[in-house]
Each structure stands twice: as structure tokens, then as C-alpha cells.
Amino acid sequence: DAGITQSPRHKVTETGTPVTLRCHQTENHRYMYWYRQDPGHGLRLIHYSYGVKDTDKGEVSDGYSVSRSKTEDFLLTLESATSSQTSVYFCAISESTREEAFFGQGTRLTVV
Amino acid sequence: DAKTTQPTSMDCAEGRAANLPCNHSTISGNEYVYWYRQIHSQGPQYIIHGLKNNETNEMASLIITEDRKSSTLILPHATLRDTAVYYCIVRVRGTDKLIFGTGTRLQVFP
């Protein structure tokens, strides 16, 4: 399995609080992605990174920010969590735009 | 941006071949077709990808039509463990994005 770890795996937080999810890889892959998945929906891309300090928006980026200060870590931050951000969050990595992506096991976030 | 269309759900008998179609009529010449699957609530798992030629690996075969407007993922001998949601994805032209659709829910029955 690709060396990709998401932390925490589960989190419950209150509305209005900041939350940071971490994706850590040991594969030295260039590309990293954050997705969210909600019941009845497929995976929706939030943000992605194509290198250190290089990031771009995905389909549903409002309310989220990301940072990538080193190759192995991609952080997803909810500045002020809302109930609509309750979801399962997946991180993915890939070596290039033509190689397959590998996914983490997900983080289940509940905002109450 | 090329998008994909897949049936919402399909059934397949255990031991039979599962053929999952995908339409990607607006695909451009340098875009690859990828297939992933997601079992229950796990992270998606890569299955196979291709550009224009048919591809086969230990998990599945990918048949891409000559005009590249559609493809079929073939699981040659489906098992109960192949029950999952299968996603057909085209890499978005000119960007690094990997966009998923809603996929096909494959139910393999005994």
C-alpha cells in the first residue's frame, strides 16, 4: 500500500472552531489532493497541490484553505467549521498527472 | 473539460463477467481514462487506466473504443468482494485535477 496517512481518523468539533486535517505521505509524490464525500455524492475535489507551496482550488473550495510547506505534508484547514462541513475527507497522492492516485483511509469529521 | 457518464447501478452474478460502461464523448486526444472503485466507506482503490489501447492487469481489463468516446471495464469473474462503487474518470485537460463523478454501484449476487 502507498505510504499515506491521514490524521486524525475521527474528529468531532463545534461550529465556529478551526480544524486542521493532516495528510502525510512517504512516497515523495508531487501531487496531493483533498476530497470530501457526502451521502449520495461521489468524491468532490476541495483543493489540490502540484508541488511545495503550489496549490489550486477544486470543485468545492469555499470555506477551506490548504498549505503544503514540504513535500510530505498537505494540510486542510477549516477556518470556522460549519455543520455543512460534516463529511468524510479523503487525501490522495500521485506521482504525475498520468499516474494513478492512491488514497488514504479517510477522516470522518463531525461538526456539531 | 471531458466528463463521464455511467449507469447508476448494475447487478452481476458471482462468477460471471461484469461489464461496466462509461461514456466520455468529449475526451481529448491526450486525456487518459482511469477506473477506481470504492468498497463501502474505504478510500478509493485504483484499478486500471488507458489512453487508446486496451489494457489488462490482474484486476480487470479496459476496453476503449477506437474513437475513444466510451470505454468498458471488465471484471472477468466477479466475486462478492467486487461489490463496490466504480468510478470512471478522465483527467481534466490542461490541469492537474482529478474529478470524480457519481460512479456505478455494482452489486454482485450469489
Side-chain angles (χ1 to χ4, degrees), chain B residues 5-17:
Chain B
T5 304
Q6 299 176 254
T8 303
S9 63
M10 296 181 64
D11 291 337
C12 179
E14 189 177 20
R16 304 296 295 270

Side-chain angles (χ1 to χ4, degrees), chain A residues 31 33 35 37 42-43 45 48 50 57 59 90 94 96-101 103-105, chain B residues 30 32 34 36 38 41-46 49 87 91 95-102:
Chain A
Y31 294 87
Y33 306 84
Y35 292 87
Q37 187 170 36
L43 285 88
L45 181 64
Y48 66 100
Y50 48 97
K57 296 180 179 180
E59 306 168 277
F90 288 101
S94 72
S96 75
T97 57
R98 292 186 173 160
E99 298 300 317
E100 64 268 33
F103 283 79
Q105 289 305 300
Chain B
N30 61 352
Y32 285 72
Y34 292 81
Y36 289 80
Q38 187 175 25
S41 57
Q42 299 176 18
Q45 176 190 25
Y46 164 79
H49 75 280
Y87 297 96
R91 201 90 189 207
T95 74
D96 307 318
K97 297 181 182 180
L98 190 61
I99 303 294
F100 283 72
T102 53

